[in-house]
Amino acid sequence: MMPPLPVVLVDAAAVGRGHLLAVNGFTARALTAASAQKERRITWTIVDPVPADVEDLGELVVPITGAVECIRYADWLARRAGGVR
């Protein structure tokens, strides 16, 4: 497994479909994001290769005023191209 990419904190209310997230040491893409009264629910799927025993689909529940660890696309693309940023 490659080392995790650097993360940036993003307001939970701003995270939406397509954002790259840091989840359990893997890179995941947000599939859906919805706000309830005081929370943000974000469904995700892991985009990195994962071992068979790792769940590759899940949900984050974050306070609406909280933050989510996101990964910059430039860092992710650099890793995919073979250079780790």
Side-chain angles (χ1 to χ4, degrees):
M1 185 165 104
M2 297 182 93
L5 290 166
V7 297
V8 292
L9 293 177
V10 175
D11 291 335
V15 173
R17 183 176 181 204
H19 272 86
L20 291 177
L21 314 171
V23 177
N24 301 327
F26 295 100
T27 304
R29 184 179 314 276
L31 299 174
T32 63
S35 296
Q37 289 183 357
K38 295 182 179 182
E39 63 188 23
R40 185 86 167 152
R41 292 181 169 274
I42 304 162
T43 16
W44 53 263
T45 185
I46 293 180
V47 295
D48 292 334
V50 294
D53 62 338
V54 173
E55 185 67 41
D56 63 349
L57 184 66
E59 181 179 63
L60 290 174
V61 179
V62 184
I64 198 70
T65 57
V68 177
E69 290 184 334
C70 290
I71 296 169
R72 294 179 344 116
Y73 273 99
D75 293 337
W76 182 67
L77 289 172
R79 173 173 283 173
R80 290 192 53 160
V84 178
R85 287 183 90 170

